Amino acid sequence: MEFLFVFVFGIIFGSFANVLIYRIPNNLNLYLPFSFCPQCKKALLWRDKIPLISYLFLNKKCRYCQNKIPLWYFLSECLGGFFAVFSFYHYGIGGIICFFLCLLFYTLCVIDWYFLEIPDILSFLTLGFGICYGFYQDFNTFYSLTNPFLNAFCLMGIASFLRLFIGGIYNKEVMGEGDIIIFGILGGSLGIFYAFVAIFIAAITTLCIMLITKTYKMPFVPFLFVGFLSLLIIKTL
Ligand SMILES: [Zn+2]
């Protein structure tokens, strides 16, 4: 029964992630105006705002203009529920840190996918949760408490070096500035070894997709997120 409450908690915040994904890159206020359809701008009824249920009940379309509601609206809510149950199952009440880390990281991943940019306010907030998650894990294992900070800075240093060094060789930008903070999130939350494994998974996946689709400008954060999530799940097995 408690897992049902946790799942509902997760989908509500998953729904809030949708608000962040749409409003932050479009420079809109997070609270006002109240929820509206991005296509026809009509305000939504309360019954159109129920996470998961409204999407299915409206048959994936806006009530007024009949335009399709993007799938990621539904996906964010499902993932919110999954992150909450996963975090609570593994860490109990302390899992709240893991939950917000996953949800904010996912938010960054969708924003990067659609807008090819990463809002600083969200990436620094996620970095904060990443370091807190590292501390939480260290606290459980009585490991050195300074490590998550050092790990985050170490990974950010390596990312900055790669950006300047490889960028200098090829004379073009190989990584966005925002990706440096994402490396910090990986280092702070997973530790240096697992962060490198996550980056390796992300790099190999990106390379394969680039070769298959012959697209050479791709957002990197979604792949780093896949690497992060795989390692997070493997670490808790
Ligand atoms: Zn509409």
Side-chain angles (χ1 to χ4, degrees):
M1 188 66 187
E2 58 190 359
F3 278 101
L4 183 68
F5 283 117
V6 171
F7 184 73
V8 172
F9 170 87
I11 56 174
I12 291 169
F13 276 93
S15 187
F16 183 65
N18 285 334
V19 175
L20 298 178
I21 291 166
Y22 180 72
R23 297 201 179 202
I24 291 183
N26 287 308
N27 287 322
L28 295 172
N29 186 297
L30 287 186
Y31 309 103
L32 292 171
F34 291 128
S35 302
F36 58 89
C37 163
Q39 315 282 344
C40 63
K41 312 287 181 216
K42 283 219 168 128
L44 302 182
L45 302 174
W46 67 268
R47 58 178 191 271
D48 297 342
K49 292 191 272 193
I50 306 166
L52 298 184
I53 295 166
S54 296
Y55 182 84
L56 298 172
F57 185 73
L58 289 168
N59 199 19
K60 309 171 210 165
K61 286 178 192 156
C62 165
R63 174 186 297 277
Y64 306 105
C65 64
Q66 300 296 311
N67 270 307
K68 268 200 158 188
I69 304 170
L71 180 69
W72 58 264
Y73 273 79
F74 186 71
L75 194 70
S76 304
E77 291 163 356
C78 288
L79 278 175
F82 166 74
F83 293 150
V85 170
F86 171 82
S87 306
F88 184 70
Y89 178 75
H90 285 289
Y91 304 108
I93 196 71
I96 194 98
I97 304 169
C98 180
F99 168 71
F100 281 113
L101 170 63
C102 293
L103 193 72
L104 287 169
F105 203 160
Y106 162 78
T107 307
L108 286 174
C109 147
V110 182
I111 293 178
D112 193 36
W113 183 267
Y114 280 99
F115 301 91
L116 279 175
E117 64 170 39
I118 303 165
D120 284 343
I121 181 140
L122 267 189
S123 57
F124 280 106
L125 191 62
T126 316
L127 177 63
F129 273 103
I131 291 173
C132 286
Y133 174 74
F135 273 128
Y136 182 75
Q137 288 223 310
D138 280 0
F139 189 70
N140 280 349
T141 53
F142 299 103
Y143 199 39
S144 163
L145 288 179
T146 51
N147 264 349
F149 263 120
L150 291 179
N151 293 344
F153 279 110
C154 180
L155 261 291
M156 284 196 280
I158 291 170
S160 308
F161 173 76
L162 286 177
R163 183 167 184 268
L164 291 174
F165 186 70
I166 303 177
I169 293 175
Y170 291 102
N171 208 17
K172 66 175 182 184
E173 197 175 64
V174 286
M175 253 187 345
E177 257 177 43
D179 291 332
I180 295 172
I181 310 295
I182 307 293
F183 273 54
I185 298 167
L186 293 173
S189 57
L190 298 174
I192 290 183
F193 175 73
Y194 286 108
F196 271 118
V197 179
I199 293 164
F200 182 73
I201 293 172
I204 295 288
T205 320
T206 314
L207 205 65
C208 291
I209 293 182
M210 274 179 166
L211 290 174
I212 293 167
T213 60
K214 295 192 171 25
T215 312
Y216 298 103
K217 185 146 177 72
M218 292 215 99
F220 194 32
V221 181
F223 298 101
L224 289 171
F225 181 66
V226 171
F228 163 79
L229 215 55
S230 319
L231 267 291
L232 194 74
I233 293 168
I234 290 169
K235 271 187 89 173
T236 48
L237 285 179

